PDB file of all heavy atoms in Angstrom:
ATOM      1  N   HIS A 141       4.981  15.340 -16.391  1.00  0.00           N
ATOM      2  CA  HIS A 141       4.300  14.843 -15.131  1.00  0.00           C
ATOM      3  C   HIS A 141       3.570  13.447 -15.508  1.00  0.00           C
ATOM      4  O   HIS A 141       3.683  12.506 -14.660  1.00  0.00           O
ATOM      5  CB  HIS A 141       3.199  15.813 -14.884  1.00  0.00           C
ATOM      6  CG  HIS A 141       2.222  15.459 -13.929  1.00  0.00           C
ATOM      7  ND1 HIS A 141       0.858  15.749 -13.998  1.00  0.00           N
ATOM      8  CD2 HIS A 141       2.124  14.674 -12.815  1.00  0.00           C
ATOM      9  CE1 HIS A 141       0.096  15.193 -13.179  1.00  0.00           C
ATOM     10  NE2 HIS A 141       0.920  14.523 -12.406  1.00  0.00           N
ATOM     11  N   ARG A 690      -1.182  31.588  -2.096  1.00  0.00           N
ATOM     12  CA  ARG A 690       0.258  31.493  -2.222  1.00  0.00           C
ATOM     13  C   ARG A 690       0.485  30.246  -3.205  1.00  0.00           C
ATOM     14  O   ARG A 690      -0.172  29.309  -3.197  1.00  0.00           O
ATOM     15  CB  ARG A 690       0.890  31.083  -0.942  1.00  0.00           C
ATOM     16  CG  ARG A 690       2.271  31.048  -0.744  1.00  0.00           C
ATOM     17  CD  ARG A 690       2.737  31.217   0.737  1.00  0.00           C
ATOM     18  NE  ARG A 690       2.088  30.106   1.607  1.00  0.00           N
ATOM     19  CZ  ARG A 690       2.699  28.933   1.879  1.00  0.00           C
ATOM     20  NH1 ARG A 690       3.818  28.614   1.302  1.00  0.00           N
ATOM     21  NH2 ARG A 690       2.072  28.079   2.662  1.00  0.00           N
ATOM     22  N   THR A 691       1.402  30.371  -4.128  1.00  0.00           N
ATOM     23  CA  THR A 691       1.575  29.344  -5.133  1.00  0.00           C
ATOM     24  C   THR A 691       3.084  28.824  -4.979  1.00  0.00           C
ATOM     25  O   THR A 691       3.657  28.023  -5.758  1.00  0.00           O
ATOM     26  CB  THR A 691       1.363  29.783  -6.584  1.00  0.00           C
ATOM     27  OG1 THR A 691       2.163  31.023  -6.753  1.00  0.00           O
ATOM     28  CG2 THR A 691       0.042  30.064  -6.763  1.00  0.00           C
ATOM     29  N   HIS A 743       2.154  23.512   5.015  1.00  0.00           N
ATOM     30  CA  HIS A 743       1.564  22.285   4.628  1.00  0.00           C
ATOM     31  C   HIS A 743       1.500  22.106   3.023  1.00  0.00           C
ATOM     32  O   HIS A 743       1.668  21.061   2.559  1.00  0.00           O
ATOM     33  CB  HIS A 743       0.202  22.221   5.131  1.00  0.00           C
ATOM     34  CG  HIS A 743       0.138  22.306   6.659  1.00  0.00           C
ATOM     35  ND1 HIS A 743       0.509  21.222   7.415  1.00  0.00           N
ATOM     36  CD2 HIS A 743      -0.330  23.237   7.460  1.00  0.00           C
ATOM     37  CE1 HIS A 743       0.369  21.593   8.594  1.00  0.00           C
ATOM     38  NE2 HIS A 743      -0.219  22.815   8.676  1.00  0.00           N
ATOM     39  N   THR A 744       1.167  23.278   2.426  1.00  0.00           N
ATOM     40  CA  THR A 744       0.904  23.128   0.925  1.00  0.00           C
ATOM     41  C   THR A 744       2.170  22.903   0.143  1.00  0.00           C
ATOM     42  O   THR A 744       2.268  22.207  -0.818  1.00  0.00           O
ATOM     43  CB  THR A 744       0.136  24.305   0.334  1.00  0.00           C
ATOM     44  OG1 THR A 744       0.277  25.415   1.226  1.00  0.00           O
ATOM     45  CG2 THR A 744      -1.314  24.080   0.373  1.00  0.00           C
ATOM     46  N   PHE A 745       3.211  23.789   0.400  1.00  0.00           N
ATOM     47  CA  PHE A 745       4.426  23.841  -0.369  1.00  0.00           C
ATOM     48  C   PHE A 745       5.720  23.499   0.337  1.00  0.00           C
ATOM     49  O   PHE A 745       6.730  23.548  -0.328  1.00  0.00           O
ATOM     50  CB  PHE A 745       4.502  25.209  -1.100  1.00  0.00           C
ATOM     51  CG  PHE A 745       3.336  25.442  -1.936  1.00  0.00           C
ATOM     52  CD1 PHE A 745       2.470  26.394  -1.630  1.00  0.00           C
ATOM     53  CD2 PHE A 745       3.175  24.728  -3.170  1.00  0.00           C
ATOM     54  CE1 PHE A 745       1.288  26.646  -2.519  1.00  0.00           C
ATOM     55  CE2 PHE A 745       2.121  24.986  -3.960  1.00  0.00           C
ATOM     56  CZ  PHE A 745       1.158  25.932  -3.605  1.00  0.00           C
ATOM     57  N   SER A 748       6.851  17.338   1.056  1.00  0.00           N
ATOM     58  CA  SER A 748       5.799  16.444   0.717  1.00  0.00           C
ATOM     59  C   SER A 748       5.685  15.266   1.817  1.00  0.00           C
ATOM     60  O   SER A 748       4.740  14.550   1.759  1.00  0.00           O
ATOM     61  CB  SER A 748       6.103  15.730  -0.555  1.00  0.00           C
ATOM     62  OG  SER A 748       7.195  14.966  -0.478  1.00  0.00           O
ATOM     63  N   PRO A 751       2.291  16.035   5.043  1.00  0.00           N
ATOM     64  CA  PRO A 751       0.870  15.948   5.141  1.00  0.00           C
ATOM     65  C   PRO A 751       0.394  14.669   5.630  1.00  0.00           C
ATOM     66  O   PRO A 751      -0.658  14.588   6.505  1.00  0.00           O
ATOM     67  CB  PRO A 751       0.395  16.216   3.646  1.00  0.00           C
ATOM     68  CG  PRO A 751       1.428  17.205   3.175  1.00  0.00           C
ATOM     69  CD  PRO A 751       2.739  16.704   3.745  1.00  0.00           C
ATOM     70  N   ILE A 772      -5.678  14.135   1.828  1.00  0.00           N
ATOM     71  CA  ILE A 772      -5.967  14.120   0.395  1.00  0.00           C
ATOM     72  C   ILE A 772      -4.793  15.004  -0.313  1.00  0.00           C
ATOM     73  O   ILE A 772      -4.540  14.699  -1.478  1.00  0.00           O
ATOM     74  CB  ILE A 772      -7.331  14.856   0.125  1.00  0.00           C
ATOM     75  CG1 ILE A 772      -7.963  14.401  -1.158  1.00  0.00           C
ATOM     76  CG2 ILE A 772      -7.390  16.278   0.294  1.00  0.00           C
ATOM     77  CD1 ILE A 772      -8.541  13.118  -1.282  1.00  0.00           C
ATOM     78  N   ARG A 773      -4.166  15.809   0.370  1.00  0.00           N
ATOM     79  CA  ARG A 773      -3.023  16.563  -0.114  1.00  0.00           C
ATOM     80  C   ARG A 773      -1.819  15.542  -0.452  1.00  0.00           C
ATOM     81  O   ARG A 773      -1.290  15.590  -1.421  1.00  0.00           O
ATOM     82  CB  ARG A 773      -2.528  17.626   0.850  1.00  0.00           C
ATOM     83  CG  ARG A 773      -1.500  18.476   0.259  1.00  0.00           C
ATOM     84  CD  ARG A 773      -1.276  19.631   1.204  1.00  0.00           C
ATOM     85  NE  ARG A 773      -2.284  20.723   1.329  1.00  0.00           N
ATOM     86  CZ  ARG A 773      -2.908  21.118   2.387  1.00  0.00           C
ATOM     87  NH1 ARG A 773      -2.365  20.711   3.525  1.00  0.00           N
ATOM     88  NH2 ARG A 773      -3.844  21.936   2.326  1.00  0.00           N
ATOM     89  N   ALA A 774      -1.726  14.714   0.482  1.00  0.00           N
ATOM     90  CA  ALA A 774      -0.671  13.633   0.229  1.00  0.00           C
ATOM     91  C   ALA A 774      -1.122  12.749  -0.909  1.00  0.00           C
ATOM     92  O   ALA A 774      -0.278  12.336  -1.793  1.00  0.00           O
ATOM     93  CB  ALA A 774      -0.436  12.879   1.490  1.00  0.00           C
ATOM     94  N   LEU A 775      -2.228  12.295  -0.777  1.00  0.00           N
ATOM     95  CA  LEU A 775      -2.814  11.363  -1.933  1.00  0.00           C
ATOM     96  C   LEU A 775      -2.683  11.931  -3.310  1.00  0.00           C
ATOM     97  O   LEU A 775      -2.407  11.286  -4.251  1.00  0.00           O
ATOM     98  CB  LEU A 775      -4.310  11.172  -1.728  1.00  0.00           C
ATOM     99  CG  LEU A 775      -4.813   9.968  -0.837  1.00  0.00           C
ATOM    100  CD1 LEU A 775      -6.232   9.800  -0.986  1.00  0.00           C
ATOM    101  CD2 LEU A 775      -4.052   8.631  -1.063  1.00  0.00           C
ATOM    102  N   ARG A 776      -2.897  13.256  -3.314  1.00  0.00           N
ATOM    103  CA  ARG A 776      -2.862  13.964  -4.734  1.00  0.00           C
ATOM    104  C   ARG A 776      -1.453  14.261  -5.180  1.00  0.00           C
ATOM    105  O   ARG A 776      -1.286  14.760  -6.315  1.00  0.00           O
ATOM    106  CB  ARG A 776      -3.813  15.208  -4.709  1.00  0.00           C
ATOM    107  CG  ARG A 776      -5.177  14.934  -4.609  1.00  0.00           C
ATOM    108  CD  ARG A 776      -5.988  16.127  -4.525  1.00  0.00           C
ATOM    109  NE  ARG A 776      -7.494  15.843  -4.493  1.00  0.00           N
ATOM    110  CZ  ARG A 776      -8.349  16.804  -4.050  1.00  0.00           C
ATOM    111  NH1 ARG A 776      -7.956  18.005  -3.704  1.00  0.00           N
ATOM    112  NH2 ARG A 776      -9.598  16.493  -4.074  1.00  0.00           N
ATOM    113  N   ALA A 777      -0.487  14.222  -4.270  1.00  0.00           N
ATOM    114  CA  ALA A 777       0.777  14.914  -4.504  1.00  0.00           C
ATOM    115  C   ALA A 777       1.248  14.674  -5.970  1.00  0.00           C
ATOM    116  O   ALA A 777       1.579  15.572  -6.643  1.00  0.00           O
ATOM    117  CB  ALA A 777       1.848  14.351  -3.459  1.00  0.00           C
ATOM    118  N   ASP A 778       1.254  13.422  -6.402  1.00  0.00           N
ATOM    119  CA  ASP A 778       1.784  13.092  -7.776  1.00  0.00           C
ATOM    120  C   ASP A 778       0.647  13.090  -8.838  1.00  0.00           C
ATOM    121  O   ASP A 778       0.866  13.549  -9.863  1.00  0.00           O
ATOM    122  CB  ASP A 778       2.551  11.806  -7.722  1.00  0.00           C
ATOM    123  CG  ASP A 778       3.789  11.977  -6.864  1.00  0.00           C
ATOM    124  OD1 ASP A 778       4.559  12.926  -7.150  1.00  0.00           O
ATOM    125  OD2 ASP A 778       4.066  11.216  -5.949  1.00  0.00           O
ATOM    126  N   LEU A 779      -0.508  12.497  -8.440  1.00  0.00           N
ATOM    127  CA  LEU A 779      -1.579  12.379  -9.405  1.00  0.00           C
ATOM    128  C   LEU A 779      -1.995  13.845  -9.982  1.00  0.00           C
ATOM    129  O   LEU A 779      -2.183  14.041 -11.107  1.00  0.00           O
ATOM    130  CB  LEU A 779      -2.794  11.777  -8.812  1.00  0.00           C
ATOM    131  CG  LEU A 779      -2.970  10.279  -8.795  1.00  0.00           C
ATOM    132  CD1 LEU A 779      -4.055   9.835  -8.033  1.00  0.00           C
ATOM    133  CD2 LEU A 779      -2.865   9.739 -10.242  1.00  0.00           C
ATOM    134  N   TYR A 780      -1.898  14.802  -9.070  1.00  0.00           N
ATOM    135  CA  TYR A 780      -2.264  16.187  -9.434  1.00  0.00           C
ATOM    136  C   TYR A 780      -1.196  17.096  -9.547  1.00  0.00           C
ATOM    137  O   TYR A 780      -1.336  18.323  -9.738  1.00  0.00           O
ATOM    138  CB  TYR A 780      -3.384  16.760  -8.478  1.00  0.00           C
ATOM    139  CG  TYR A 780      -4.708  16.074  -8.662  1.00  0.00           C
ATOM    140  CD1 TYR A 780      -4.954  14.849  -8.053  1.00  0.00           C
ATOM    141  CD2 TYR A 780      -5.769  16.598  -9.413  1.00  0.00           C
ATOM    142  CE1 TYR A 780      -6.227  14.255  -8.098  1.00  0.00           C
ATOM    143  CE2 TYR A 780      -6.891  16.019  -9.512  1.00  0.00           C
ATOM    144  CZ  TYR A 780      -7.227  14.819  -8.795  1.00  0.00           C
ATOM    145  OH  TYR A 780      -8.456  14.178  -8.963  1.00  0.00           O
ATOM    146  N   ASP A 781       0.029  16.555  -9.409  1.00  0.00           N
ATOM    147  CA  ASP A 781       1.225  17.418  -9.353  1.00  0.00           C
ATOM    148  C   ASP A 781       1.123  18.605  -8.492  1.00  0.00           C
ATOM    149  O   ASP A 781       1.393  19.707  -8.881  1.00  0.00           O
ATOM    150  CB  ASP A 781       1.600  17.784 -10.870  1.00  0.00           C
ATOM    151  CG  ASP A 781       3.075  18.226 -10.999  1.00  0.00           C
ATOM    152  OD1 ASP A 781       3.779  18.065  -9.920  1.00  0.00           O
ATOM    153  OD2 ASP A 781       3.391  18.797 -12.028  1.00  0.00           O
ATOM    154  N   VAL A 782       0.774  18.393  -7.279  1.00  0.00           N
ATOM    155  CA  VAL A 782       0.374  19.484  -6.286  1.00  0.00           C
ATOM    156  C   VAL A 782       1.529  20.449  -6.164  1.00  0.00           C
ATOM    157  O   VAL A 782       1.427  21.590  -6.033  1.00  0.00           O
ATOM    158  CB  VAL A 782      -0.029  18.863  -4.939  1.00  0.00           C
ATOM    159  CG1 VAL A 782      -0.144  19.807  -3.858  1.00  0.00           C
ATOM    160  CG2 VAL A 782      -1.359  18.037  -5.064  1.00  0.00           C
ATOM    161  N   ARG A 783       2.842  19.848  -6.119  1.00  0.00           N
ATOM    162  CA  ARG A 783       4.039  20.804  -5.860  1.00  0.00           C
ATOM    163  C   ARG A 783       4.743  21.067  -7.194  1.00  0.00           C
ATOM    164  O   ARG A 783       5.813  21.715  -7.105  1.00  0.00           O
ATOM    165  CB  ARG A 783       4.953  20.033  -4.950  1.00  0.00           C
ATOM    166  CG  ARG A 783       4.528  19.955  -3.598  1.00  0.00           C
ATOM    167  CD  ARG A 783       5.432  19.199  -2.656  1.00  0.00           C
ATOM    168  NE  ARG A 783       5.184  19.555  -1.321  1.00  0.00           N
ATOM    169  CZ  ARG A 783       4.019  19.131  -0.640  1.00  0.00           C
ATOM    170  NH1 ARG A 783       3.112  18.481  -1.224  1.00  0.00           N
ATOM    171  NH2 ARG A 783       3.874  19.517   0.639  1.00  0.00           N
ATOM    172  N   GLY A 784       4.195  20.699  -8.218  1.00  0.00           N
ATOM    173  CA  GLY A 784       4.832  21.163  -9.580  1.00  0.00           C
ATOM    174  C   GLY A 784       6.116  20.477  -9.848  1.00  0.00           C
ATOM    175  O   GLY A 784       6.740  20.901 -10.767  1.00  0.00           O
ATOM    176  N   ASN A 785       6.442  19.405  -9.088  1.00  0.00           N
ATOM    177  CA  ASN A 785       7.719  18.825  -9.404  1.00  0.00           C
ATOM    178  C   ASN A 785       7.648  17.286  -9.636  1.00  0.00           C
ATOM    179  O   ASN A 785       8.598  16.501  -9.534  1.00  0.00           O
ATOM    180  CB  ASN A 785       8.784  19.073  -8.311  1.00  0.00           C
ATOM    181  CG  ASN A 785       8.334  18.524  -7.022  1.00  0.00           C
ATOM    182  OD1 ASN A 785       7.292  17.920  -6.863  1.00  0.00           O
ATOM    183  ND2 ASN A 785       9.165  18.653  -6.008  1.00  0.00           N
ATOM    184  N   ALA A 786       6.366  16.815  -9.973  1.00  0.00           N
ATOM    185  CA  ALA A 786       6.190  15.380 -10.230  1.00  0.00           C
ATOM    186  C   ALA A 786       6.978  14.899 -11.395  1.00  0.00           C
ATOM    187  O   ALA A 786       7.290  13.755 -11.528  1.00  0.00           O
ATOM    188  CB  ALA A 786       4.706  15.030 -10.274  1.00  0.00           C
ATOM    189  N   HIS A 791       6.794  10.980  -5.376  1.00  0.00           N
ATOM    190  CA  HIS A 791       7.275  11.257  -4.015  1.00  0.00           C
ATOM    191  C   HIS A 791       7.066  10.064  -3.171  1.00  0.00           C
ATOM    192  O   HIS A 791       5.974   9.875  -2.665  1.00  0.00           O
ATOM    193  CB  HIS A 791       6.439  12.477  -3.358  1.00  0.00           C
ATOM    194  CG  HIS A 791       6.633  13.760  -4.198  1.00  0.00           C
ATOM    195  ND1 HIS A 791       6.094  14.090  -5.333  1.00  0.00           N
ATOM    196  CD2 HIS A 791       7.473  14.827  -3.766  1.00  0.00           C
ATOM    197  CE1 HIS A 791       6.491  15.342  -5.653  1.00  0.00           C
ATOM    198  NE2 HIS A 791       7.372  15.812  -4.694  1.00  0.00           N
TER     199      HIS A 791
END
Side-chain angles (χ1 to χ4, degrees):
H141 165 220
R690 186 161 58 89
T691 53
H743 301 291
T744 24
F745 298 106
S748 66
I772 203 81
R773 185 173 291 130
L775 269 190
R776 289 177 180 165
D778 292 308
L779 273 176
Y780 291 81
D781 197 10
V782 171
R783 289 179 161 71
N785 61 358
H791 294 80

